[in-house]
Amino acid sequence: MPARTSPQLRFLLRGSFLVVVMLTAWWMFLLDPLLGALRVSTALALHLAPGDGSTAHATNDPSGNWVLQVPLPAFVQRSDAVQKMFDPALRPVRLRSLKLAIARDVPVLFSLVFPLFWAAALAGPFTRRTWKILLAGTALVYFISIGCIILYSVYMIDRNLAYTTGASNTVLNFFEYLNMYVVPYAAPLLIALALNADLRAQIFSTDPA
């Protein structure tokens, strides 16, 4: 009698195959549309952020890098970190926004959550709920991607202005580390597990049948 394959091994095998398929489809066909949608949504999020939202926009430069115009809240505008950028004779200066250049590789990294989530969701048992899980999870990772871009923008502005110091700077650096090196890889699987009870049962099952 042939040995039965454990559900965890079946998940790993299907998941590995689907990761290759989804990454290929993402890179060849979906990357540019996803980046375009994320850029437009990022501009909308910046428009709703504290500060003068009318200054917010997000565009591409000729190299495909992003250029964000990020509105600054009033308390940041009045801070010493901002005012020291200008001649003392001109202070106080109202700096309504900052222009921030973001290398294309950054939003590409944050869009990686899409193919990884799709692979994880489809690697589990396929049921009538699978399509709902895919739709709900895709919407969730979309908002996560936008949040990651916004957090990266906040981090880069802080680096340019040296606004935070001490413990607050340490906390910001920690969250940015998670943002860049943990969230794009861990979030897709965690979301798939949270939305799919059948997938949780398969992965954490102790029955090899």
Side-chain angles (χ1 to χ4, degrees), residues 5 22 40 43 97 114 118 144 177 202:
T5 305
M22 292 300 171
V40 171
S97 64
F114 290 94
W118 295 332
I144 288 175
Y177 173 83
Q202 180 182 15

Side-chain angles (χ1 to χ4, degrees), residues 25 35 63 65 81 88 94 103 132 139 153-154 162:
L35 291 180
S63 300
N65 302 317
R94 186 186 178 196
K132 293 181 180 179
S153 301
V154 170

Side-chain angles (χ1 to χ4, degrees), residues 2-188:
R4 292 180 294 182
T5 305
S6 71
Q8 292 84 1
L9 180 58
R10 290 199 300 270
F11 169 77
L12 287 174
L13 292 175
R14 282 200 303 268
S16 299
F17 172 74
L18 286 167
V19 164
V20 173
V21 172
M22 292 300 171
L23 285 177
T24 301
W26 165 73
W27 185 257
M28 295 183 65
F29 308 110
L30 301 175
L31 180 57
D32 287 338
L34 280 173
L35 291 180
L38 288 173
R39 181 172 51 80
V40 171
S41 298
T42 299
L44 178 59
L46 291 175
H47 181 75
L48 298 175
D52 186 354
S54 64
T55 63
H57 66 258
T59 58
N60 283 330
D61 70 10
S63 300
N65 302 317
W66 287 18
V67 179
L68 304 183
Q69 195 74 29
V70 183
L72 297 179
F75 68 88
V76 175
Q77 297 179 33
R78 296 191 298 265
S79 68
D80 291 339
V82 170
Q83 295 302 317
K84 71 181 181 181
M85 298 168 60
F86 302 96
D87 188 286
L90 301 176
R91 300 174 191 171
V93 175
R94 186 186 178 196
L95 184 65
R96 297 190 301 166
S97 64
L98 276 179
K99 181 177 288 186
L100 181 65
I102 297 181
R104 186 175 185 269
D105 290 346
V106 174
V108 167
L109 170 65
F110 295 138
S111 73
L112 187 63
V113 295
F114 290 94
L116 294 183
F117 167 73
W118 295 332
L122 292 173
F126 197 90
T127 66
R128 287 179 296 179
R129 295 186 62 250
T130 299
W131 294 115
K132 293 181 180 179
I133 292 169
L134 283 171
L135 289 173
T138 299
L140 186 54
V141 298
Y142 188 85
F143 285 110
I144 288 175
S145 297
I146 297 170
C148 288
I149 295 168
I150 296 297
L151 178 56
Y152 177 82
S153 301
V154 170
Y155 172 76
M156 292 304 299
I157 289 174
D158 181 75
R159 285 190 60 184
N160 290 330
L161 296 179
Y163 182 77
T164 63
T165 58
S168 59
N169 183 256
T170 300
V171 171
L172 180 60
N173 289 337
F174 173 71
F175 278 107
E176 176 58 15
Y177 173 83
L178 296 179
N179 192 42
M180 294 291 292
Y181 300 107
V182 178
V183 172
Y185 309 103

